[in-house]
Amino acid sequence: MTRRAQVSLWLVLVGLLCLIPAGAGAQDSQTVPSIELSGTIDPATEKWIDSALGDADADAAPLALIRIDTPGGLDTSMREIIKDVLDAPMPVVVYVSPNGSRAASAGAFIVEAGDVAAMAPQTNIGSASAVTASGGDIGGTLGRKIENDAAAFMRALAESHGRNGPLAERMVTEAANFSATEALDRELIDIVAGSEEELLAMLDGFRVAGPKAQTLDTDGLVIEQREMPFQYQALQVLVNPTIAYVLLLLGLVGIAIEIFSPGLILPGTLGLVFLLLGAYGTAQLPVQAAGVLLLVVGIGFIIAEAQLPTHGILGAVGVIALALSGLLLFDTGSEQLEVSVPVVITVAILFGGFLAFAAAKAVQARRNPVRTGWEELIGAGGVVRVPLDPVGQVFVQGALWRAGPAEDVGAREAERLGVRDARVRVESVEGLTLRVRPAENDEEEARS
């Protein structure tokens, strides 16, 4: 083939490649991930949704489905999830499912953030008013600021997706709640479907409103269930305020016991593990400085009680401080993520009492006379087995020892040491030789 023919062939090939539409060689995904979002809205569910939507993007999913059933949760985690939903390149359908589920509080915001808002027939949505951690209303100027901010956010989410903004706002300002039928009739949501398959069929030809406006084509798409993995389930346990508090307390108690009784290993090892787990869970939650200070002060007072004659005053104050620290440590602003008051008080009393007992025993053991080693022999009583002339053997604490008279033993006492079965008292130890003198009274003889 001539050079000119080769050039002509390459030009033809390049021309043919230019005629192929972009992406013609790529196979569009036909899988719709159905992502589970259940339980409280917290840092664990936030990380899970971010990961799941990231995987859907990597798989070039044409659509993502989030199955939601939640009583609500943290405002910060809710807003991060909403950002993930809004930033996802594919349309995201938020579906309150299965029957009997709800999208309450933070869940209502997430539903309205969806490009498509759907509900199963026997579900409900609403009750999105801001409350304190104990479930009460937030009063004053702060309460109005929080409510106005939440109401505006809810209205913006709903209206940007072509839904009923004023009605959505009432879920915040009046804690309104709606059934699936009511929400559909009043344009708070887009679809009511009895199952995921039915929902997918109803979405075929559906016109999405909002930033991702498009007409959906769901013909031939297949749903793939994606449940929350164990790592996020474990994290969800750790970020529970009550669990995090108990783990912190267990960790501090274990380390304190190890400090007072070095060498036990197990309390210190477990304590460190519990402390790290509790600290990790605590780091994911909004923490108040007062709660941290009370926790440290409570542990300090209980340890001090073991060393100071306060007749239980410091110990009692320490237990009270521990209980208060559990109640004040976290400021979640959500009644779904508040600490359990009975659990906190019970745990504070039990752990505080146990720590005080363990510390007292450790201090007492340190103050007791040494019970091991050659030091234990000093002052111990014994019996002459081989007369000391001047060296012999004495029976002390169940063993025969080489023995000789103490340096300041007089002649008369030396005579007594030369008699078998004479009672003696150990004065000192020189290597493996005991230096003894005759026992002076019945009390010393009884010690043998």
Side-chain angles (χ1 to χ4, degrees):
M1 182 180 292
T2 64
R3 183 176 180 84
R4 178 175 296 181
Q6 290 178 342
V7 172
S8 300
L9 180 60
W10 278 111
L11 290 174
V12 171
L13 290 174
V14 171
L16 289 174
L17 289 174
C18 292
L19 294 175
I20 299 176
Q27 181 67 39
D28 290 337
S29 173
Q30 296 296 299
T31 300
V32 176
S34 177
I35 304 165
E36 176 191 19
L37 177 54
S38 60
T40 56
I41 303 300
D42 53 35
T45 50
E46 168 200 330
K47 294 179 187 300
W48 160 234
I49 294 300
D50 177 59
S51 173
L53 289 177
D55 290 343
D57 182 19
D59 294 340
L63 194 69
L65 175 64
I66 297 178
R67 292 174 283 116
I68 188 169
D69 177 15
T70 177
L74 291 177
D75 178 78
T76 51
S77 297
M78 172 199 77
R79 290 178 181 265
E80 289 301 317
I81 291 175
I82 289 174
K83 288 179 182 178
D84 292 334
V85 170
L86 298 178
D87 292 342
M90 80 292 294
V92 177
V93 180
V94 183
Y95 179 36
V96 186
S97 174
N99 281 321
S101 300
R102 57 177 168 166
S105 192
F109 285 87
I110 296 173
V111 171
E112 292 302 324
D115 299 295
V116 179
M119 298 175 68
Q122 298 172 6
T123 58
N124 61 285
I125 184 174
S127 300
S129 299
V131 294
T132 63
S134 60
D137 292 332
I138 305 175
T141 303
L142 176 61
R144 291 194 299 274
K145 289 174 63 176
I146 294 175
E147 181 180 274
N148 291 339
D149 175 69
F153 188 40
M154 179 71 86
R155 185 175 63 252
L157 290 172
E159 291 179 346
S160 65
H161 292 93
R163 303 185 196 114
N164 190 334
L167 186 65
E169 186 177 350
R170 284 182 51 198
M171 292 192 289
V172 176
T173 58
E174 302 175 17
N177 211 301
F178 304 97
S179 67
T181 303
E182 292 172 333
L184 180 64
D185 291 343
R186 305 179 71 172
E187 299 181 350
L188 193 61
I189 62 171
D190 305 308
I191 295 174
V192 172
S195 67
E196 293 175 77
E197 292 72 20
E198 180 183 343
L199 173 60
L200 200 60
M202 296 176 70
L203 287 174
D204 193 29
F206 181 86
R207 178 65 184 173
V208 174
K212 302 175 192 175
Q214 59 187 278
T215 299
L216 299 179
D217 179 9
T218 61
D219 185 39
L221 298 184
V222 178
I223 295 175
E224 180 184 80
Q225 300 295 320
R226 294 190 183 176
E227 311 299 331
M228 182 184 290
F230 174 77
Q231 67 184 92
Y232 297 106
Q233 294 178 16
L235 178 58
Q236 199 164 32
V237 173
L238 292 179
V239 299
N240 180 291
T242 302
I243 300 297
Y245 170 75
V246 172
L247 287 173
L248 282 177
L249 212 52
L250 272 173
L252 291 173
V253 169
I255 291 175
I257 292 174
E258 186 67 32
I259 291 174
F260 275 95
S261 301
L264 292 179
I265 306 300
L266 185 61
T269 303
L270 291 178
L272 181 60
V273 172
F274 289 142
L275 184 63
L276 290 176
L277 290 175
Y280 181 78
T282 300
Q284 312 299 315
L285 298 166
V287 176
Q288 297 191 101
V292 176
L293 291 175
L294 283 169
L295 183 62
V296 175
V297 168
I299 294 290
F301 278 177
I302 291 172
I303 293 176
E305 173 63 35
Q307 305 191 58
L308 300 175
T310 64
H311 307 290
I313 295 176
L314 280 181
V317 173
V319 170
I320 293 173
L322 287 183
L324 290 175
S325 73
L327 299 176
L328 298 177
L329 187 59
F330 303 105
D331 182 23
T332 63
S334 169
E335 57 184 338
Q336 287 77 35
L337 281 173
E338 62 181 353
V339 295
S340 171
V341 175
V343 171
V344 165
I345 293 176
T346 301
V347 167
I349 294 174
L350 290 177
F351 286 1
F354 177 76
L355 179 59
F357 173 79
K361 286 296 182 183
V363 172
Q364 180 182 354
R366 288 185 178 182
R367 293 174 179 171
N368 286 340
V370 177
R371 298 296 183 189
T372 59
W374 64 265
E375 296 93 339
E376 180 186 3
L377 296 173
I378 305 299
V383 179
V384 175
R385 287 287 186 260
V386 177
L388 279 60
D389 186 26
V391 177
Q393 290 184 330
V394 295
F395 189 76
V396 178
Q397 293 190 351
L400 282 173
W401 292 84
R402 186 174 185 271
E407 292 182 0
D408 59 347
V409 168
R412 190 170 180 178
E413 289 180 313
E415 291 180 6
R416 293 172 61 185
L417 294 175
V419 178
R420 182 180 172 81
D421 294 331
R423 299 286 182 175
V424 298
R425 185 186 73 230
V426 179
E427 290 288 298
S428 62
V429 180
E430 296 178 0
L432 296 177
T433 301
L434 305 184
R435 294 298 175 180
V436 300
R437 69 180 330 112
E440 296 178 355
N441 52 51
D442 293 339
E443 179 181 350
E444 290 183 0
E445 293 181 9
R447 293 180 60 187
S448 62

